[in-house]
């Protein structure tokens, strides 16, 4: 699908299988999610611009490269998106963070906002939205709506698993926001869970079930 990149690196596939396995412990799940986020971060930042910087090595003066422009923003959707945050920050430690609290109404599956805090100048920064599961797409659409309301206009979305319906919904609402995912699964169940998926990502990261 246009605007969707599936990162099927062997390390990503290996870690994703660990996360899918119901026997995987909370500790291992959380660690695998963090490591996978780091690998996804490498791909989603692949085309960032750099600028020349003059430095001196212990041997000679040279022209090096540094990331250009303002620090980027990671925007995890609470609570499961936070499971991807540290892995992203391992790669880009000086990034800013926007927290977006959204839950899915279990009856309508629509997203309801309960918390939002982003850098004031989010309009001037690249924003990378994080949520491990792009299921119905409603939460992802609402998170990007909210960031755009505040003026953000350079956005990317990163997840671990996407459903075909979630991708269609998201891309229809936000065709300007490309998506990176580790896999596209078959379908959703009647509660909006991805099949075969990995279960409830928040519960598996935090051991709440
Ligand atoms: N959220 C989850 O945590 N898991 C799914 O399968 C869908 C949404």
């Amino acid at each position: 699908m246009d605007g969707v990149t599936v990162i099927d690196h062997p390390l990503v596939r290996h870690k994703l299988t660990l996360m899918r396995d119901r026997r995987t412990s909370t500790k291992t799940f959380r660690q695998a999610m963090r490591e996978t986020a780091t690998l996804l971060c490498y791909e989603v930042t692949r085309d960032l611009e750099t600028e020349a910087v003059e430095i001196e090595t212990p041997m000679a003066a040279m022209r090096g490269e540094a990331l250009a422009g303002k620090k980027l923003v990671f925007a995890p959707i609470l609570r499961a998106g936070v499971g991807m945050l540290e892995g992203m920050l391992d790669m880009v430690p000086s990034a800013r963070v926007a927290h977006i609290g959204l839950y899915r109404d279990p009856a309508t599956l629509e997203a309801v906002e309960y918390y939002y805090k982003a850098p004031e100048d989010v309009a001037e920064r690249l924003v990378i939205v994080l949520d491990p599961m792009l299921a119905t797409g409603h939460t992802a659409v609402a998170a990007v709506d909210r960031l755009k309301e505040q003026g953000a206009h350079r956005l990317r979305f990163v997840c671990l698993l996407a459903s075909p319906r979630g991708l269609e919904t998201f891309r229809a609402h936000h065709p300007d926001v490309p998506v990176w995912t580790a896999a596209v699964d078959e379908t959703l169940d009647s509660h909006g869970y991805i099949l075969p998926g990995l279960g409830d990502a928040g519960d598996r990261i935090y051991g709440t079930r």
Side-chain angles (χ1 to χ4, degrees):
M1 186 186 282
D2 187 40
V4 178
T5 304
V6 179
I7 300 158
D8 64 348
H9 188 287
L11 288 173
V12 172
R13 296 205 304 266
H14 178 87
K15 291 175 195 300
L16 193 52
T17 301
L18 257 183
M19 283 184 275
R20 288 183 186 278
D21 190 334
R22 65 181 309 157
R23 297 167 303 180
T24 296
S25 69
T26 300
K27 176 176 172 238
T28 303
F29 186 94
R30 194 186 296 144
Q31 181 67 26
M33 180 168 289
R34 179 177 178 146
E35 291 167 357
T36 307
T38 298
L39 295 167
L40 299 185
C41 185
Y42 181 77
E43 292 295 335
V44 73
T45 55
R46 183 177 275 285
D47 65 347
L48 293 192
E49 281 184 20
T50 59
E51 60 191 9
V53 286
E54 303 296 335
I55 58 162
E56 282 180 29
T57 75
M59 310 299 286
M62 69 163 281
R63 178 170 288 192
E65 286 181 79
L67 290 176
K70 286 206 163 207
K71 307 273 185 288
L72 58 82
V73 177
F74 292 124
I77 301 177
L78 306 181
R79 83 187 146 138
V82 175
M84 299 174 74
L85 178 62
E86 291 302 325
M88 294 273 162
L89 288 172
D90 285 343
M91 283 287 99
V92 191
S94 55
R96 308 305 192 235
V97 178
H99 289 93
I100 306 173
L102 291 166
Y103 69 87
R104 287 199 306 176
D105 183 299
T108 63
L109 302 185
E110 292 295 332
V112 182
E113 182 181 315
Y114 62 91
Y115 186 78
Y116 178 82
K117 186 81 179 175
E120 280 175 9
D121 57 354
V122 78
E124 296 160 37
R125 298 175 186 270
L126 172 66
V127 182
I128 300 181
V129 182
L130 311 175
D131 190 347
M133 311 301 275
L134 182 60
T136 62
H138 296 164
T139 309
V141 167
V144 171
D145 280 345
R146 186 65 179 83
L147 287 158
K148 284 184 174 176
E149 247 174 57
Q150 205 196 323
H153 59 95
R154 286 194 303 137
L155 293 125
R156 297 176 180 190
F157 186 88
V158 185
C159 57
L160 291 182
L161 291 183
S163 74
R165 187 175 131 198
L167 284 171
E168 257 171 48
T169 302
F170 184 77
R171 293 286 300 158
H173 280 80
H174 296 298
D176 57 318
V177 181
V179 176
W180 278 257
T181 184
V184 180
D185 272 11
E186 281 151 37
T187 188
L188 296 177
D189 74 5
S190 58
H191 303 287
Y193 278 81
I194 296 179
L195 291 175
L198 49 73
D200 187 296
D203 281 339
R204 298 212 51 205
I205 297 165
Y206 300 111
T208 40
R209 211 186 223 175

